[in-house]
């Protein structure tokens, strides 16, 4: 029997969550993007607010209404998401990177629409790396601040989902990594989800398949005991 709607275990906590997927412009009308709907991050924000937290949702292209009681900061690109997250993370008890941040962006965005048949008709798109926002949040975190990352993994010849996830947790150096098994290829935009919550101390907690709100509740129940004791 887990916490119910009356659970207020995040009262007095400041929570900052990124959600959605960044879009990296190619020209004024086109972008490189991804399939993240922002639903899981939005559920984390909604549930945290319901459990008493003061919540900021940095929403990258999330086409859903703001959850009740949540302050939404809309962003488009990875660079905008980085700026918003670094600003909002100051003073937060927990920072959650649920957004799908584009690893690369077009090296340049054309100032005017790319046209067929023009002299400069493109045949390829040069890319550059985007900043790793999670890595930067980890480096810059205040003492006691908990940093939570997300990872969508598939098993392959090099290892199963958990092997890849543990390696990513170690590489990213965050406190908690929420792992989605996307081997079956059916998470994005779906109403349901299931995750494993890995912590830097080696623990792994399975949150069973359920609505994204139910999974969000399971994630918070796992994360709350890891928050630093509240200041007196
Ligand atoms: N992330 C980030 N900034 C980036 C890329 C990823 O903050 N430029 C964050 C994501 O929000 C997520 C975590 O890092 O919380 C893991 O993202 P993932 O794409 O799984 O990790 P990568 O290090 O980009 O590894 P991969 O090469 O597998 O994509
Ligand atoms: Ca990535």
């Amino acid at each position: 029997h887990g916490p119910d709607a009356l659970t207020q275990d995040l009262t007095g906590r400041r929570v900052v969550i990124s959600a959605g997927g960044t879009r990296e412009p190619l020209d004024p009308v086109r972008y490189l993007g991804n399939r993240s709907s922002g639903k899981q991050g939005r559920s984390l924000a909604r549930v945290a607010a319901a459990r008493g937290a003061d919540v900021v949702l940095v929403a990258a292209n999330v086409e859903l209404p703001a959850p009740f009681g949540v302050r939404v900061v809309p962003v488009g690109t990875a660079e905008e998401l980085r700026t918003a997250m670094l600003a909002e993370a100051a003073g937060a008890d927990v920072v959650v990177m649920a957004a799908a941040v584009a690893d690369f962006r077009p090296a340049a965005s054309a100032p005017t629409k790319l046209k067929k048949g023009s002299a400069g008709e493109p045949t390829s798109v040069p890319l550059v790396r985007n900043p790793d926002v999670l890595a930067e949040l980890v480096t810059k975190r205040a003492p006691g601040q908990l940093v939570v990352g997300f990872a969508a993994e598939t098993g392959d010849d090099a290892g199963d989902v958990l092997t890849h996830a543990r390696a990513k947790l170690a590489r990213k150096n965050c406190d908690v990594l929420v792992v989605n098994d996307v081997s079956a290829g059916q998470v994005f935009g779906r109403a349901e989800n299931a995750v494993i919550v890995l912590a830097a101390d080696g623990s792994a907690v399975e949150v069973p398949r359920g609505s994204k709100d139910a999974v969000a509740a399971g994630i918070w129940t796992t994360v709350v005991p890891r928050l630093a004791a509240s200041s007196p």
Side-chain angles (χ1 to χ4, degrees):
H1 178 73
D4 57 27
L6 298 176
T7 305
Q8 293 290 296
D9 55 357
L10 283 164
T11 299
R13 300 295 194 172
R14 289 203 47 205
V15 173
V16 179
I17 301 168
S18 70
T22 65
R23 292 179 180 175
E24 310 298 325
L26 280 157
D27 71 11
V29 296
R30 305 184 181 98
Y31 58 83
L32 297 182
N34 61 70
R35 294 185 190 280
S36 177
S37 65
K39 284 180 185 164
Q40 189 61 74
R42 186 169 167 276
S43 284
L44 282 166
R46 192 214 318 268
V47 171
R51 284 161 72 156
D54 175 356
V55 185
V56 178
L57 181 65
V58 174
N61 309 296
V62 179
E63 280 150 23
L64 298 161
F68 181 77
V70 171
R71 180 160 67 88
V72 175
V73 179
V75 296
T77 65
E79 228 2 292
E80 290 166 8
L81 186 143
R82 170 183 174 273
T83 301
M85 286 303 287
L86 290 175
E88 298 296 341
D93 296 290
V94 49
V95 179
V96 182
M97 277 298 298
V101 183
D103 293 324
F104 309 97
R105 67 174 181 274
S109 175
T112 55
K113 190 181 166 192
L114 300 167
K115 292 282 198 187
K116 292 194 298 284
S118 62
E121 187 168 324
T123 56
S124 64
V125 181
L127 301 174
V128 294
R129 276 260 201 132
N130 267 330
D132 188 326
V133 182
L134 179 62
E136 205 169 338
L137 288 166
V138 165
T139 311
K140 294 181 174 167
R141 78 178 137 191
Q145 185 180 73
L146 200 80
V147 180
V148 179
F150 265 68
E153 298 287 344
T154 59
D156 59 24
D157 295 345
D160 62 10
V161 167
L162 263 186
T163 307
H164 285 300
R166 287 195 197 280
K168 184 164 284 181
L169 175 61
R171 200 162 62 234
K172 292 280 183 175
N173 199 30
C174 48
D175 303 294
V176 173
L177 190 71
V178 179
V179 184
N180 250 313
D181 182 344
V182 292
S183 303
Q186 48 183 15
V187 174
F188 299 110
R190 291 291 177 108
E192 292 212 320
N193 198 10
V195 300
I196 300 170
V197 182
L198 290 185
D201 62 14
S203 81
V205 175
E206 260 188 71
V207 178
R209 182 156 299 281
S211 70
K212 288 187 174 178
D213 277 0
V215 168
I219 293 169
W220 282 122
T221 297
T222 310
V223 166
V224 163
R226 298 182 174 278
L227 294 176
S230 320
S231 42

